[in-house]
Amino acid sequence: MSTKVPQNLEDQEIDITVISKKVNGFADSIKRSFFNGIQSFIVNWKIILTLVIVGFSIGLFIDKTRRIYDHRIIVIPNFGSTDYLYSKINLIDSKISKGDTLFLKNSIGIKKPKKLVDVEIEPIPDVYNFITNRPENFELIKLMADNGDIKKIIKENITSKNYRYHNISVRTKDSIGEKETVELILDFLNKSDYYKKIQEAKLINVKDKMVQNDSTISQINDVIKEFSKNKNSQKSDKLVYYNENNQLNDVIRTKGDLVKEQGGYRIELIGYDKIIKDISTTINIEKKGIIYGHLKFLLPLVFIFLYVFVQFFKSFYRKQKLIVENNQPII
């Protein structure tokens, strides 16, 4: 026992010494590499400065000439035209991707189609309005939530396409006027003979329903006036008065429902003037990001990094070539 302990201690001291030397050697190599890097920058400061100036100049030129602008249109697809809207937007985007300038000029009327980068559409989540006064939608959400993540369900196509509002994003290479692009795209979306016929029928139905409601409300008003006239004479018979009073409450409640319905129809008619109704439009939002508007700072760093990489590669190659020439094993 006594003869083994000192040997173990001695082995541990040797291991610690070796590890310490390796750590110190590694630290020294890092210091040398850092010093060599600084020395290389000092020696080649003219090249570094040239790279910085060239990179900054190129980046500045690109930042000024290559600007991306976003244009956002919030729309309501009326008369069940949601799928039609999405297919039209996908068609426009595919034509932009293919560079089909003839289609963009002739079918849509865009005079400078090369400005367009892409067009996208996405629903604006509004679960509250999706289920308000629609028990079937509420049951659908509830059923789907029992079998999955509610957040994913809200964003799924089967749900999201049925939201009332949708956002169309148009990206261009330069700023635009609303009439030269946005209005032309909206006009193209509203060109549908099928949905125009549905629009006409829907407008007729709503207006007829409003006329009927107005007539019913007028009749209810006459009933209420008649009841007011005969109210005093009916007080002698409490039972008859009680029954007629309950009937009057039902009539008044019916009138309130009809008035509320009329208000809803008036609001609907505001949006029924178009198949795809535009609610708001925001244009010329300059796109921001790491590479947008910051290339004048990024390109100098990229050029310096490439220069350092090339110098490192050349140094490594020369070192390994010298080892091979001296018949030494490659490290």
Side-chain angles (χ1 to χ4, degrees):
M1 295 289 294
S2 60
T3 56
K4 292 182 180 180
V5 172
Q7 185 176 356
N8 291 336
L9 291 174
E10 185 177 352
D11 291 341
Q12 291 178 3
E13 290 178 358
I14 292 172
D15 291 341
I16 293 172
T17 303
V18 172
I19 293 172
S20 177
K21 287 181 179 180
K22 288 184 177 180
V23 170
N24 291 333
F26 179 72
D28 290 339
S29 65
I30 292 176
K31 291 177 182 179
R32 284 195 300 270
S33 298
F34 185 70
F35 174 76
N36 291 336
I38 295 174
Q39 190 176 36
S40 177
F41 270 84
I42 294 173
V43 172
N44 301 298
W45 68 270
K46 291 183 180 180
I47 298 175
I48 300 298
L49 181 61
T50 302
L51 291 174
V52 170
I53 294 173
V54 171
F56 181 84
S57 301
I58 296 174
L60 184 63
F61 174 78
I62 295 175
D63 286 340
K64 287 185 175 181
T65 56
R66 185 181 172 273
R67 291 183 177 180
I68 302 297
Y69 290 87
D70 284 335
H71 320 279
R72 297 168 188 169
I73 316 163
I74 297 176
V75 299
I76 297 177
N78 290 316
F79 321 118
S81 60
T82 305
D83 289 328
Y84 160 80
L85 170 62
Y86 274 71
S87 64
K88 283 291 187 180
I89 293 297
N90 292 334
L91 173 64
I92 296 173
D93 188 56
S94 67
K95 296 298 183 181
I96 295 172
S97 300
K98 294 177 181 177
D100 192 346
T101 56
L102 290 177
F103 175 85
L104 298 173
K105 283 183 179 180
N106 299 332
S107 299
I108 302 179
I110 298 174
K111 294 181 180 179
K112 298 180 180 179
K114 291 185 177 180
K115 280 187 176 183
L116 294 173
V117 177
D118 59 36
V119 178
E120 295 178 350
I121 185 170
E122 61 181 358
I124 299 176
D126 189 3
V127 179
Y128 178 77
N129 286 327
F130 179 69
I131 63 176
T132 301
N133 298 324
R134 296 176 181 176
E136 66 279 4
N137 289 352
F138 176 75
E139 291 299 326
L140 175 63
I141 292 289
K142 185 178 178 182
L143 178 63
M144 296 173 68
D146 292 338
N147 300 321
D149 186 359
I150 187 65
K151 292 183 178 179
K152 292 181 179 179
I153 292 169
I154 290 172
K155 294 181 179 180
E156 283 183 356
N157 286 338
I158 191 173
T159 306
S160 60
K161 279 192 176 183
N162 289 286
Y163 292 139
R164 181 170 175 79
Y165 299 100
H166 300 260
N167 182 57
I168 300 175
S169 297
V170 182
R171 274 184 280 271
T172 61
K173 296 178 182 178
D174 198 358
S175 60
I176 61 170
E178 186 171 344
K179 292 184 178 180
E180 68 183 79
T181 302
V182 174
E183 290 187 3
L184 294 173
I185 291 175
L186 288 172
D187 290 342
F188 174 74
L189 296 176
N190 281 282
K191 290 178 181 177
S192 171
D193 294 335
Y194 172 75
Y195 283 105
K196 281 182 179 178
K197 291 179 181 178
I198 296 180
Q199 179 188 25
E200 293 172 0
K202 184 70 174 179
L203 288 172
I204 293 172
N205 292 340
V206 171
K207 289 177 180 178
D208 287 346
K209 183 63 177 175
M210 291 181 71
V211 171
Q212 293 176 9
N213 285 350
D214 285 337
S215 177
T216 304
I217 291 172
S218 179
Q219 293 175 15
I220 290 174
N221 289 334
D222 293 338
V223 171
I224 294 173
K225 288 179 182 178
E226 187 68 24
F227 178 83
S228 298
K229 291 179 181 179
N230 300 327
K231 185 176 180 181
N232 293 329
S233 62
Q234 292 176 350
K235 285 184 177 180
S236 59
D237 191 340
K238 294 182 179 179
L239 181 60
V240 174
Y241 174 75
Y242 178 77
N243 289 337
E244 290 190 358
N245 193 44
N246 283 344
Q247 292 175 0
L248 181 63
N249 289 336
D250 292 338
V251 170
I252 293 174
R253 191 179 297 109
T254 301
K255 177 185 175 181
D257 293 339
L258 290 174
V259 170
K260 183 179 179 181
E261 189 175 296
Q262 291 292 83
Y265 284 144
R266 291 189 184 96
I267 294 174
E268 284 184 9
L269 287 175
I270 295 173
Y272 281 174
D273 61 326
K274 294 181 180 179
I275 299 167
I276 308 298
K277 176 64 176 178
D278 50 307
I279 304 302
S280 69
T281 302
T282 307
I283 63 172
N284 296 326
I285 306 170
E286 188 173 354
K287 191 172 181 62
K288 300 295 182 181
I290 297 177
I291 63 173
Y292 294 102
H294 299 95
L295 285 177
K296 53 183 171 289
F297 303 116
L298 293 175
L299 282 183
L301 296 176
V302 171
F303 287 173
I304 291 173
F305 173 79
L306 292 174
Y307 172 75
V308 171
F309 177 78
V310 170
Q311 293 299 111
F312 172 79
F313 181 80
K314 288 168 64 177
S315 175
F316 175 79
Y317 179 79
R318 286 196 297 265
K319 182 178 178 181
Q320 299 303 323
K321 183 179 180 182
L322 184 62
I323 292 174
V324 171
E325 290 175 351
N326 293 331
N327 294 323
Q328 296 181 6
I330 297 177
I331 299 175

